[in-house]
Structure formats: C-alpha cells, structure tokens
Amino acid sequence: MNYSPARLTVRRGTFSACLKLATVVLLAFVCSACGSKPVAKLPPPPPPPVPTATVEAAPSTLQPGQSAVLTWKTENATDIKLEPIGTVEASGSKTVTPSDSVTYRIVAKGPGGQQEASVRVTVMPAATAAPKAEDELFSAASARQDVFFDTDEYSVRADQEPTVVSDASFLKAHPDLHVLIEGHCDELGSIEYNLALGESRAQTVKSMLVKAGISPMRIATISYGKERPFCREESDQCYRQNRRAHIVPTAEP
C-alpha cells in the first residue's frame, strides 16, 4: 500500500500528539499519587532533664565556735547557689562556723527546671556547768563511766549497756539535770568522717537513754570527732580511750 507524503505527515503528527497526551496523563497520575501520600512527622525532642540537688551537714548540732562540714551534690543544673554562702560548683564541700543556728539551702536551676534542698545546723547555747552534779556523776565510787565503742562502730557493745542503764538511773534520780553527750573518735580517718561518726555515737547513747525513760528535752548531743582526744599517744590503747561518748551534766537551760 502506498501512502502519499501528505498522509504520512498527518499520521506522524497524530501519533506525536497522542504520545504527548499520554505523557501528560502519566505525569498527572504520578503527581496525584505523590500528593496523596502522607508526610512523615519527626517526633518532638525529649524534654531537658530535671535538676537534682542534695545537701548534708556533719555534724548538724554545734557548740559556739565549732565547725561543721557542708557537702552538696547537683546534676543537670547550670546555676547553683548555696544560701547564704552564694554561687558554688555542681558538687563539693565547705567548712562553716556559724555563730547562730542557720538553715543552708541549695538551689539548682537548669533547662529542665529548678530543684531545692536544705539542711539545718543548730548552734547550742553555751552550757553552764553544774560542778556538784558532775562530781557525783563521775565519782570514783560510782559505777557510771563513759560509753566506749569499737573501731568505726557506733552501736553500743553488750559490755557497755550497764553503763547506759546506770546513767539513766542517775538522771531519773535528778529530774532537773540536763546533760550533753559528746561523741569522740580516735585519730584514724578524715575530719569529716570522724565528725559524722562522733555524732552517730552520741545519738545512739541518747536514743538508749530516751528508751530508758529520760526526756529527750534533757539531752543534747555534739560531735568533736577527733578534735579533742582524751589520750594523745599514737597507740591502740589510746585509740580505745578516744572512741567514746562522754556525758557532761549541764545546768538547766
């Protein structure tokens, strides 16, 4: 079959037009399919962590002129203040000698918020000694004596329990007498460790006296750690003498 050049031109133009039309339809379909596909959303970033803060004091009860060690720790904070001291590092310790009772408050601020913690350091009023009561309490004829402890221990040994019972009986017989229990330690260990250990020893004896019927209002405690040794020789015998709770009668406040 023969076709004239004019008819071939027409057929070629028709084919080209159909091809273009098919391309347009295909593109429209593809674009329509792309447009209907949901776009994935990224999850929101996690919130910043909340700051944490702790502060402790050892000992927490002082006599005028005595020092305590503050120890604090924070996390996730960019602005840390220890009131009434001021701005401090994220963690650390500091020796303080307050003249009056004071509450130390640490405030830790960060992108995740704010956290606070506090500790109270109580400065006891200067006690007035009661010589007659003290002489009676520690007289040679009396069975009362200081309570002694094992190394690094603050629990009362079985052989020391009669001493506490004797002291409780004496305090019951003298209801107007107030006492101060001093916690003492040997020279081994750091200052901070022994201050905390001395406080635990004094508190243990106080708890036993209270259980025996003595009002806790009549009993104050303080820790001298290793600062006031009874024996200064570097020997096991001296160390044993320094590990004690020493009961000091005082005048009624």
Side-chain angles (χ1 to χ4, degrees), residues 135-248:
D135 289 343
E136 184 177 355
L137 184 62
F138 297 106
S139 63
S142 172
R144 289 176 293 276
Q145 60 184 16
D146 290 352
V147 181
F148 293 87
F149 297 85
D150 290 333
T151 304
D152 296 328
E153 292 290 339
Y154 58 86
S155 58
V156 175
R157 304 194 309 254
D159 66 310
Q160 297 297 304
E161 291 179 0
T163 300
V164 182
V165 173
S166 179
D167 290 337
S169 299
F170 177 83
L171 292 174
K172 289 179 180 179
H174 299 80
D176 295 331
L177 181 65
H178 288 64
V179 295
L180 173 67
I181 304 178
E182 302 174 352
H184 294 269
C185 303
D186 58 34
E187 288 73 9
L188 305 178
S190 66
I191 294 176
E192 293 82 359
Y193 174 80
N194 282 300
L195 283 173
L197 181 59
E199 179 71 15
S200 296
R201 287 171 174 171
Q203 289 290 343
T204 297
V205 176
K206 177 180 178 178
S207 296
M208 294 183 67
L209 291 175
V210 170
K211 289 182 179 179
I214 308 303
S215 170
M217 302 301 294
R218 297 173 58 191
I219 307 171
T221 62
I222 192 171
S223 174
Y224 289 115
K226 63 179 183 179
E227 297 178 0
R228 298 189 180 186
F230 290 82
C231 181
R232 296 183 178 275
E233 296 179 6
E234 294 184 0
S235 64
D236 290 339
Q237 183 177 2
C238 270
Y239 293 158
R240 287 194 294 270
Q241 294 183 44
N242 292 333
R243 297 191 291 265
R244 68 172 77 189
H246 182 54
I247 302 177
V248 181

Side-chain angles (χ1 to χ4, degrees), residues 28-52:
F29 174 78
V30 172
C31 291
S32 175
C34 292
S36 62
K37 187 177 180 180
V39 178
K41 295 183 179 180
L42 295 177
V50 178
T52 62

